[in-house]
Short mmCIF file of all heavy atoms in Angstrom, two decimals:
data_model
loop_
_atom_site.label_atom_id
_atom_site.label_comp_id
_atom_site.label_asym_id
_atom_site.label_seq_id
_atom_site.Cartn_x
_atom_site.Cartn_y
_atom_site.Cartn_z
N GLU A 237 15.15 17.28 11.24
CA GLU A 237 13.68 17.30 11.25
C GLU A 237 13.10 16.59 10.02
O GLU A 237 12.25 15.71 10.14
CB GLU A 237 13.18 18.75 11.32
CG GLU A 237 11.67 18.88 11.28
CD GLU A 237 11.13 19.03 9.87
OE1 GLU A 237 11.75 19.76 9.06
OE2 GLU A 237 10.11 18.38 9.57
N ARG A 238 13.57 16.95 8.83
CA ARG A 238 13.03 16.32 7.63
C ARG A 238 13.38 14.83 7.56
O ARG A 238 12.50 14.01 7.23
CB ARG A 238 13.53 17.04 6.38
CG ARG A 238 12.89 16.54 5.09
CD ARG A 238 11.40 16.81 5.08
NE ARG A 238 10.74 16.20 3.92
CZ ARG A 238 9.44 16.30 3.68
NH1 ARG A 238 8.66 16.99 4.50
NH2 ARG A 238 8.91 15.73 2.62
N PRO A 239 14.62 14.43 7.87
CA PRO A 239 14.90 12.99 7.91
C PRO A 239 14.01 12.23 8.89
O PRO A 239 13.66 11.07 8.64
CB PRO A 239 16.37 12.93 8.33
CG PRO A 239 16.95 14.19 7.82
CD PRO A 239 15.86 15.21 8.00
N THR A 240 13.63 12.87 9.99
CA THR A 240 12.73 12.19 10.94
C THR A 240 11.37 11.95 10.32
O THR A 240 10.78 10.88 10.47
CB THR A 240 12.59 13.04 12.23
OG1 THR A 240 13.89 13.19 12.83
CG2 THR A 240 11.66 12.38 13.22
N TYR A 241 10.88 12.95 9.58
CA TYR A 241 9.62 12.77 8.86
C TYR A 241 9.74 11.60 7.87
O TYR A 241 8.86 10.74 7.79
CB TYR A 241 9.25 14.05 8.11
CG TYR A 241 8.02 13.93 7.26
CD1 TYR A 241 6.76 14.24 7.77
CD2 TYR A 241 8.11 13.50 5.94
CE1 TYR A 241 5.62 14.11 6.99
CE2 TYR A 241 6.97 13.36 5.15
CZ TYR A 241 5.74 13.68 5.68
OH TYR A 241 4.62 13.54 4.90
N VAL A 242 10.84 11.58 7.11
CA VAL A 242 11.05 10.53 6.11
C VAL A 242 11.15 9.16 6.78
O VAL A 242 10.58 8.17 6.30
CB VAL A 242 12.31 10.83 5.28
CG1 VAL A 242 12.66 9.67 4.35
CG2 VAL A 242 12.11 12.11 4.46
N LEU A 243 11.86 9.10 7.91
CA LEU A 243 12.01 7.84 8.64
C LEU A 243 10.65 7.31 9.10
O LEU A 243 10.32 6.13 8.89
CB LEU A 243 12.92 8.05 9.84
CG LEU A 243 13.07 6.87 10.81
CD1 LEU A 243 13.75 5.69 10.12
CD2 LEU A 243 13.83 7.29 12.06
N ILE A 244 9.87 8.17 9.74
CA ILE A 244 8.57 7.73 10.26
C ILE A 244 7.62 7.40 9.12
O ILE A 244 6.83 6.44 9.19
CB ILE A 244 8.00 8.79 11.21
CG1 ILE A 244 8.89 8.90 12.45
CG2 ILE A 244 6.56 8.46 11.60
CD1 ILE A 244 8.46 9.94 13.45
N ALA A 245 7.72 8.16 8.01
CA ALA A 245 6.90 7.85 6.84
C ALA A 245 7.22 6.45 6.32
O ALA A 245 6.33 5.67 5.97
CB ALA A 245 7.12 8.88 5.75
N GLY A 246 8.51 6.13 6.27
CA GLY A 246 8.90 4.80 5.80
C GLY A 246 8.45 3.69 6.72
O GLY A 246 7.91 2.67 6.27
N VAL A 247 8.68 3.87 8.01
CA VAL A 247 8.29 2.84 8.98
C VAL A 247 6.79 2.62 8.97
O VAL A 247 6.30 1.47 8.95
CB VAL A 247 8.78 3.22 10.39
CG1 VAL A 247 8.19 2.28 11.44
CG2 VAL A 247 10.31 3.18 10.46
N THR A 248 6.02 3.72 8.98
CA THR A 248 4.56 3.57 9.01
C THR A 248 4.03 2.97 7.71
O THR A 248 3.01 2.27 7.73
CB THR A 248 3.88 4.91 9.30
OG1 THR A 248 4.34 5.90 8.35
CG2 THR A 248 4.17 5.39 10.71
N SER A 249 4.70 3.23 6.59
CA SER A 249 4.26 2.64 5.32
C SER A 249 4.48 1.13 5.33
O SER A 249 3.63 0.35 4.86
CB SER A 249 5.02 3.27 4.16
OG SER A 249 4.69 4.65 4.03
N ILE A 250 5.63 0.69 5.86
CA ILE A 250 5.88 -0.74 5.98
C ILE A 250 4.87 -1.40 6.92
O ILE A 250 4.33 -2.47 6.63
CB ILE A 250 7.32 -0.99 6.45
CG1 ILE A 250 8.31 -0.52 5.37
CG2 ILE A 250 7.56 -2.46 6.77
CD1 ILE A 250 9.76 -0.48 5.82
N LEU A 251 4.59 -0.74 8.03
CA LEU A 251 3.60 -1.27 8.98
C LEU A 251 2.20 -1.30 8.37
O LEU A 251 1.42 -2.22 8.63
CB LEU A 251 3.61 -0.45 10.26
CG LEU A 251 4.86 -0.57 11.15
CD1 LEU A 251 4.79 0.42 12.31
CD2 LEU A 251 5.01 -1.99 11.67
N LEU A 252 1.88 -0.28 7.57
CA LEU A 252 0.58 -0.22 6.93
C LEU A 252 0.35 -1.47 6.08
O LEU A 252 -0.69 -2.15 6.20
CB LEU A 252 0.47 1.03 6.06
CG LEU A 252 -0.81 1.18 5.24
CD1 LEU A 252 -1.97 1.59 6.13
CD2 LEU A 252 -0.63 2.19 4.11
N VAL A 253 1.31 -1.76 5.21
CA VAL A 253 1.18 -2.94 4.34
C VAL A 253 1.29 -4.22 5.17
O VAL A 253 0.55 -5.19 4.95
CB VAL A 253 2.25 -2.91 3.24
CG1 VAL A 253 2.22 -4.19 2.41
CG2 VAL A 253 2.05 -1.69 2.34
N GLY A 254 2.20 -4.24 6.13
CA GLY A 254 2.45 -5.45 6.92
C GLY A 254 1.30 -5.83 7.82
O GLY A 254 1.17 -7.01 8.19
N CYS A 255 0.46 -4.87 8.20
CA CYS A 255 -0.68 -5.15 9.09
C CYS A 255 -2.02 -5.12 8.36
O CYS A 255 -3.07 -5.25 9.00
CB CYS A 255 -0.70 -4.15 10.24
SG CYS A 255 0.74 -4.25 11.34
N TRP A 256 -1.97 -4.93 7.03
CA TRP A 256 -3.20 -4.83 6.25
C TRP A 256 -3.94 -6.16 6.24
O TRP A 256 -3.32 -7.22 6.19
CB TRP A 256 -2.86 -4.42 4.83
CG TRP A 256 -3.99 -3.86 4.04
CD1 TRP A 256 -4.74 -4.50 3.10
CD2 TRP A 256 -4.48 -2.52 4.10
NE1 TRP A 256 -5.69 -3.66 2.58
CE2 TRP A 256 -5.55 -2.43 3.17
CE3 TRP A 256 -4.14 -1.39 4.85
CZ2 TRP A 256 -6.26 -1.25 2.98
CZ3 TRP A 256 -4.85 -0.23 4.65
CH2 TRP A 256 -5.90 -0.16 3.73
N GLN A 257 -5.26 -6.10 6.29
CA GLN A 257 -6.08 -7.31 6.29
C GLN A 257 -6.78 -7.48 4.94
O GLN A 257 -7.22 -6.51 4.33
CB GLN A 257 -7.13 -7.22 7.40
CG GLN A 257 -6.54 -7.17 8.80
CD GLN A 257 -5.87 -8.48 9.19
OE1 GLN A 257 -6.51 -9.48 9.40
NE2 GLN A 257 -4.54 -8.44 9.28
N SER A 258 -6.88 -8.72 4.51
CA SER A 258 -7.52 -9.02 3.24
C SER A 258 -9.04 -8.83 3.34
O SER A 258 -9.65 -9.18 4.35
CB SER A 258 -7.22 -10.46 2.81
OG SER A 258 -5.86 -10.62 2.51
N VAL A 259 -9.59 -8.27 2.28
CA VAL A 259 -11.04 -8.12 2.15
C VAL A 259 -11.48 -8.99 0.97
O VAL A 259 -10.95 -8.84 -0.13
CB VAL A 259 -11.44 -6.65 1.91
CG1 VAL A 259 -12.95 -6.51 1.77
CG2 VAL A 259 -10.90 -5.77 3.04
N PRO A 260 -12.39 -9.91 1.16
CA PRO A 260 -12.77 -10.82 0.07
C PRO A 260 -13.48 -10.08 -1.07
O PRO A 260 -14.18 -9.11 -0.85
CB PRO A 260 -13.70 -11.83 0.74
CG PRO A 260 -14.22 -11.13 1.96
CD PRO A 260 -13.13 -10.21 2.41
N GLY A 261 -13.24 -10.57 -2.28
CA GLY A 261 -13.95 -10.03 -3.44
C GLY A 261 -13.02 -9.41 -4.46
O GLY A 261 -11.89 -9.01 -4.15
N VAL A 262 -13.51 -9.37 -5.71
CA VAL A 262 -12.79 -8.73 -6.82
C VAL A 262 -13.72 -7.72 -7.46
O VAL A 262 -14.87 -8.04 -7.80
CB VAL A 262 -12.32 -9.77 -7.87
CG1 VAL A 262 -11.67 -9.07 -9.05
CG2 VAL A 262 -11.38 -10.78 -7.24
N VAL A 263 -13.26 -6.49 -7.59
CA VAL A 263 -14.09 -5.41 -8.15
C VAL A 263 -14.03 -5.44 -9.67
O VAL A 263 -15.06 -5.34 -10.34
CB VAL A 263 -13.62 -4.05 -7.62
CG1 VAL A 263 -14.51 -2.93 -8.16
CG2 VAL A 263 -13.64 -4.05 -6.09
N TRP A 264 -12.84 -5.54 -10.23
CA TRP A 264 -12.70 -5.74 -11.67
C TRP A 264 -11.44 -6.54 -11.95
O TRP A 264 -10.51 -6.56 -11.14
CB TRP A 264 -12.69 -4.42 -12.44
CG TRP A 264 -11.44 -3.58 -12.30
CD1 TRP A 264 -10.19 -3.86 -12.78
CD2 TRP A 264 -11.34 -2.31 -11.67
NE1 TRP A 264 -9.32 -2.83 -12.49
CE2 TRP A 264 -10.01 -1.87 -11.81
CE3 TRP A 264 -12.26 -1.48 -11.02
CZ2 TRP A 264 -9.56 -0.66 -11.30
CZ3 TRP A 264 -11.82 -0.27 -10.52
CH2 TRP A 264 -10.48 0.13 -10.65
N SER A 265 -11.44 -7.19 -13.08
CA SER A 265 -10.29 -7.97 -13.51
C SER A 265 -10.20 -7.92 -15.02
O SER A 265 -11.17 -8.27 -15.71
CB SER A 265 -10.41 -9.42 -13.03
OG SER A 265 -9.27 -10.16 -13.42
N VAL A 266 -9.09 -7.45 -15.55
CA VAL A 266 -8.88 -7.34 -16.99
C VAL A 266 -8.22 -8.62 -17.46
O VAL A 266 -7.06 -8.89 -17.13
CB VAL A 266 -8.02 -6.11 -17.34
CG1 VAL A 266 -7.77 -6.04 -18.84
CG2 VAL A 266 -8.70 -4.83 -16.85
N HIS A 267 -8.93 -9.41 -18.24
CA HIS A 267 -8.41 -10.70 -18.69
C HIS A 267 -7.65 -10.59 -20.01
O HIS A 267 -6.86 -11.46 -20.34
CB HIS A 267 -9.55 -11.71 -18.82
CG HIS A 267 -10.26 -11.96 -17.52
ND1 HIS A 267 -9.67 -12.65 -16.47
CD2 HIS A 267 -11.49 -11.60 -17.08
CE1 HIS A 267 -10.51 -12.72 -15.45
NE2 HIS A 267 -11.63 -12.09 -15.80
N SER A 268 -7.92 -9.54 -20.76
CA SER A 268 -7.21 -9.34 -22.02
C SER A 268 -5.74 -9.01 -21.74
O SER A 268 -5.44 -8.09 -20.97
CB SER A 268 -7.85 -8.20 -22.82
OG SER A 268 -6.99 -7.72 -23.81
N GLU A 269 -4.85 -9.77 -22.35
CA GLU A 269 -3.43 -9.53 -22.11
C GLU A 269 -2.99 -8.14 -22.54
O GLU A 269 -2.29 -7.45 -21.78
CB GLU A 269 -2.58 -10.60 -22.80
CG GLU A 269 -1.08 -10.46 -22.49
CD GLU A 269 -0.27 -11.59 -23.08
OE1 GLU A 269 -0.85 -12.56 -23.58
OE2 GLU A 269 0.98 -11.50 -23.04
N PRO A 270 -3.38 -7.66 -23.74
CA PRO A 270 -3.00 -6.28 -24.10
C PRO A 270 -3.56 -5.24 -23.13
O PRO A 270 -2.88 -4.27 -22.79
CB PRO A 270 -3.60 -6.12 -25.51
CG PRO A 270 -3.71 -7.50 -26.04
CD PRO A 270 -4.05 -8.35 -24.85
N GLY A 271 -4.81 -5.46 -22.70
CA GLY A 271 -5.40 -4.51 -21.76
C GLY A 271 -4.68 -4.51 -20.43
O GLY A 271 -4.43 -3.45 -19.83
#
């Protein structure tokens, strides 16, 4: 039972990233190298 949860969690996480769509725009960007 627990391995099945882990398996589906892994597969759905890969699909989540793999099917994600880009949204235009940048909210913040830290240009300082130390920051």
